[in-house]
Amino acid sequence: MLYTKSWIDQHLEELTPWQQSAYLHFSELMCDEEHPYPCVPGKQGFQTDTLRFGFAEDPRKEEATDKLVSLLKQYGGISRDTGKYASLVVFFQSEEIGGSVESYQQIFWDLLNRVHRLDATPWPDEIGKDPHDHTWEFCFDGEPYFSFCATPAHNVRKSRHFPYFLLAFQPRWVFDEINSSTAFGQKLKKVIRKRLVEYDEVDPHPSLKWYGKEDNYEWKQYYLSDDDSSMSKCPFSHMHKKIKS
C-alpha cells in the first residue's frame, strides 16, 4: 500500500487510471524546472526516491479514513529509513467532489478528526493537545507530523493547487536541522519564501511561521486559504479516549 517513486515509474500501468493521472501530475509538478515548485525538500525527496506514496478513496468516505489510518501506521514504521527528506504523499479519488476552497477545508479537518479518533496510541507528552498551543502538531501512532493539503479549488495560491485532493505528512524529525535555530534552516527558509512568491505571484500567507515560536500555530499552515484569511478556531478536537481501529 506504500509505493516508492521507482516502483511506480516501473509499474505505472498496474495502477488505476485515476491513480496514474494523480501520480503523473505530481511528477510533472516536481520535475518542472521552468517554474520550480517552492518546497525544496519536497523536490529533493522526490528526485532521491525518499518520498512514499499512497492512494485512498473519496476523502468524505469512511473507506478513506481507514485507508489513511493504515498508510500512516505503515509509514510511521519505515519513515526514518527512507532518508532525511521523508514525506508521505496521499492522493484521494476526488474527481466527483467539486466545491470551494472553504468546502475542501471542511473535508480536510473532518478527515483529520476521523483519523485521530482511530489512533489508539497516546499523544506524545512533548506535543501540546490544544491546537491553539504553539507546541501543537498533528500526531498519529505517537509520531508528530506537519500536514499539508492541496486541492483542485485553490487558484490564487498555485502551490496549494492540485487536480486531486492531496495530503502530505512530513515527520517532525525532518525539521531537526531545518528550523530557526540553524543556519541551514534560516538559509533554506529564505530560498523557499523567494520561490514561493515567484510561484504563487502573491505574498506568502501570514500564517507561515516557524514551529515552536509563540506566535506560530501549525494548524493554520496545514490548510491555507486562497486569500490571507484564517479560521478563528481550529476544527481539530483532541480525543482523550481513543477507539481502536
Side-chain angles (χ1 to χ4, degrees):
M1 291 174 63
L2 284 179
Y3 299 93
T4 62
K5 173 185 181 297
S6 55
W7 188 95
I8 296 178
D9 287 344
Q10 295 174 24
H11 302 86
L12 184 65
E13 293 184 357
E14 295 182 28
L15 301 178
T16 66
W18 83 262
Q19 291 172 343
Q20 293 182 38
S21 173
Y23 174 77
L24 290 173
H25 273 104
F26 187 84
S27 177
E28 182 179 349
L29 195 69
M30 293 294 108
C31 295
D32 187 344
E33 295 303 329
E34 185 175 347
H35 300 96
Y37 193 72
C39 183
V40 177
K43 282 179 64 70
Q44 291 183 340
F46 183 75
Q47 292 165 356
T48 58
D49 209 6
T50 295
L51 307 183
R52 293 298 178 266
F53 299 95
F55 300 92
E57 293 78 8
D58 185 322
R60 299 169 296 181
K61 298 181 178 180
E62 287 303 324
E63 292 89 343
T65 309
D66 295 338
K67 181 65 67 65
L68 187 52
V69 164
S70 178
L71 289 169
L72 283 167
K73 283 184 177 179
Q74 292 179 63
Y75 185 67
I78 60 96
S79 65
R80 294 177 186 273
D81 300 323
T82 62
K84 64 178 181 179
Y85 294 123
S87 282
L88 168 65
V89 179
V90 184
F91 306 109
F92 293 81
Q93 190 170 12
S94 50
E95 306 97 307
E96 305 299 323
I97 295 179
S100 64
V101 172
E102 291 73 24
S103 62
Y104 275 105
Q105 183 171 236
Q106 187 65 51
I107 290 170
F108 167 73
W109 286 110
D110 283 349
L111 178 58
L112 222 58
N113 272 311
R114 297 199 310 269
V115 168
H116 173 60
R117 293 187 191 109
L118 295 176
D119 183 9
T121 304
W123 200 261
D125 292 337
E126 69 276 14
I127 304 297
K129 295 181 175 65
D130 182 356
H132 298 272
D133 183 322
H134 67 278
T135 67
W136 182 88
E137 188 84 278
F138 176 74
C139 301
F140 186 84
D141 204 22
E143 189 73 63
Y145 292 100
F146 178 83
S147 182
F148 169 97
C149 184
T151 79
H154 282 82
N155 291 310
V156 177
R157 299 193 186 280
K158 302 177 184 67
S159 57
R160 293 286 176 141
H161 175 83
F162 194 73
Y164 296 83
F165 186 80
L166 177 154
L167 292 187
F169 294 89
Q170 197 166 19
R172 175 47 52 189
W173 58 261
V174 169
F175 298 94
D176 287 348
E177 297 179 4
I178 309 175
N179 57 65
S180 60
S181 64
T182 68
F184 175 69
Q186 293 169 11
K187 182 179 179 180
L188 184 60
K189 179 182 178 181
K190 290 180 181 178
V191 171
I192 292 174
R193 290 298 167 87
K194 181 176 182 295
R195 289 172 57 155
L196 185 62
V197 171
E198 293 171 349
Y199 194 86
D200 285 350
E201 299 180 315
V202 295
D203 289 336
H205 196 285
S207 294
L208 294 177
K209 299 177 182 179
W210 287 106
Y211 175 74
K213 296 293 185 181
E214 292 193 5
D215 63 344
N216 173 69
Y217 302 101
E218 290 290 276
W219 67 272
K220 290 188 175 184
Q221 301 187 47
Y222 288 5
Y223 192 101
L224 296 181
S225 60
D226 246 358
D227 55 24
D228 286 349
S229 66
S230 295
M231 302 179 79
S232 60
K233 187 177 187 302
C234 181
F236 182 82
S237 177
H238 185 85
M239 302 291 290
H240 292 284
K241 293 183 179 180
K242 308 291 180 63
I243 302 172
K244 291 187 178 181
S245 58

